[in-house]
Amino acid sequence: MDLKLDHHNEDRLTIVEVEGEIDVYTAPRLRELLIDLVNKGNFHLLVNMEKVDFLDSTGLGVLVGGLKRVRAHDGSLELVCTQERILKIFRITGLTKVFGIYASVDEAKEAHGRDK
Amino acid sequence: MATVELTFSALPAHVRTARLVATAIARRTGVEESLLDEVRLAVGEACSRAVEAHRAHCPGEPIRIELSDDSGRFEVTVSDQAPSDEHEHDRPLDLSMLSDSYTSGFGIAVIAGLADDVEVFPSPKGMRIRMSWPASANGRAG
């Protein structure tokens, strides 16, 4: 499966919907989207990974790159992910300590105090 | 021992094909369903690393994968022809040092965390990554 990307804004939070496989072939598209969002002033990103079938270290690198960019603007990049096979990769690489990871978009919004 | 060999040019699009082939052969060899995700990711990581290394050093050369069932184990060897840094896989994780376009040491860390058994053989003539997982005796290969 290829990669599908979409995004929308809710209050100050930009929710990035990702579906499909994030690998060495498709990750550049996600990187371009994150760069574009930051360049347009969106500094609080929430990446919903619930429909991601596959994520490799190239994808992790893109997410880390996005995090570095938003942090440069005092922003945030957090994730929604409950899939064990995806979470395992974050655990192996120690990135669970770097990203905020939530079980749902609502939970993430609540944690930010931006809900409603 | 049944062996499948695959060579592909150093293009990111081919990494997915390599993952799919490896997963299909692992299943056929009798690797447990619960391990197939690990096989898919580890082989993908090894191939991604090889593709990036070839694109930097020798884009015209092919990357080779050997997949075999050997004494109750499913074994995958990914070989590239790009000169490799012996200490590449020992780099510590440092967020500030990570590039969002190339995280080679990261990939090997992921492989080491996923494969049941991993050996990395760096050399000036290229890197060879050998990984294996247990396969049931009644795998359908043969």
Side-chain angles (χ1 to χ4, degrees), chain A residues 1 21 57 68 88 93, chain B residues 16 19 38 45 93 98:
Chain A
M1 188 179 192
E21 299 188 342
S57 63
K68 287 165 66 179
K88 186 173 185 174
T93 52
Chain B
R16 182 171 189 263
R19 286 201 306 266
E38 298 185 5
E45 291 291 352
L93 176 62
L98 288 174

Side-chain angles (χ1 to χ4, degrees), chain B residues 33-128:
Chain B
E33 285 291 321
S34 61
L35 294 175
L36 292 179
D37 270 338
E38 298 185 5
V39 171
R40 182 166 75 134
L41 181 55
V43 172
E45 291 291 352
C47 291
S48 296
R49 199 213 65 82
V51 165
E52 296 286 5
H54 272 224
R55 289 171 86 193
H57 296 285
C58 50
E61 297 298 325
I63 292 153
R64 194 170 94 235
I65 313 178
E66 296 164 65
L67 309 111
S68 62
D69 61 316
D70 188 9
S71 308
R73 294 194 70 83
F74 172 64
E75 188 173 299
V76 182
T77 305
V78 177
S79 308
D80 68 59
Q81 297 172 49
S84 57
D85 176 354
E86 193 170 343
H87 302 293
E88 181 180 25
H89 57 291
D90 292 331
R91 284 177 197 156
L93 176 62
D94 179 349
L95 182 64
S96 65
M97 296 298 287
L98 288 174
S99 155
D100 57 344
S101 60
Y102 183 37
T103 51
S104 63
F106 226 15
I108 290 178
V110 171
I111 294 169
L114 289 172
D116 188 58
D117 167 45
V118 187
E119 285 178 289
V120 179
F121 306 98
S123 87
K125 292 181 179 175
M127 183 179 279
R128 193 157 55 90

Side-chain angles (χ1 to χ4, degrees), chain A:
Chain A
M1 188 179 192
D2 203 356
L3 183 67
K4 285 185 190 171
L5 299 170
D6 202 357
H7 66 92
H8 63 280
N9 288 324
E10 292 188 24
D11 298 330
R12 288 175 56 227
L13 197 61
T14 301
I15 300 175
V16 180
E17 302 284 352
V18 187
E19 183 177 352
E21 299 188 342
I22 310 174
D23 71 356
V24 67
Y25 180 54
T26 60
R29 286 178 46 213
L30 177 59
R31 181 168 60 240
E32 283 165 22
L33 174 61
L34 296 180
I35 290 171
D36 190 46
L37 288 171
V38 173
N39 287 345
K40 289 178 178 166
N42 302 283
F43 303 138
H44 292 281
L45 308 179
L46 178 64
V47 181
N48 186 356
M49 309 197 45
E50 286 299 82
K51 293 181 179 173
V52 171
D53 300 319
F54 182 84
L55 172 75
D56 71 3
S57 63
T58 322
L60 291 179
V62 167
L63 293 172
V64 169
L67 181 63
K68 287 165 66 179
R69 283 188 179 85
V70 293
R71 279 188 178 171
H73 298 276
D74 292 324
S76 62
L77 189 155
E78 295 179 315
L79 310 170
V80 173
C81 182
T82 59
Q83 297 187 72
E84 183 52 35
R85 64 180 172 184
I86 304 291
L87 289 171
K88 186 173 185 174
I89 305 162
F90 284 95
R91 276 201 293 272
I92 288 170
T93 52
L95 289 175
T96 47
K97 295 171 188 163
V98 174
F99 289 103
I101 301 179
Y102 297 95
S104 68
V105 170
D106 284 343
E107 188 182 296
K109 284 161 65 180
E110 203 169 316
H112 274 266
R114 295 192 185 92
D115 202 13
K116 302 283 186 302

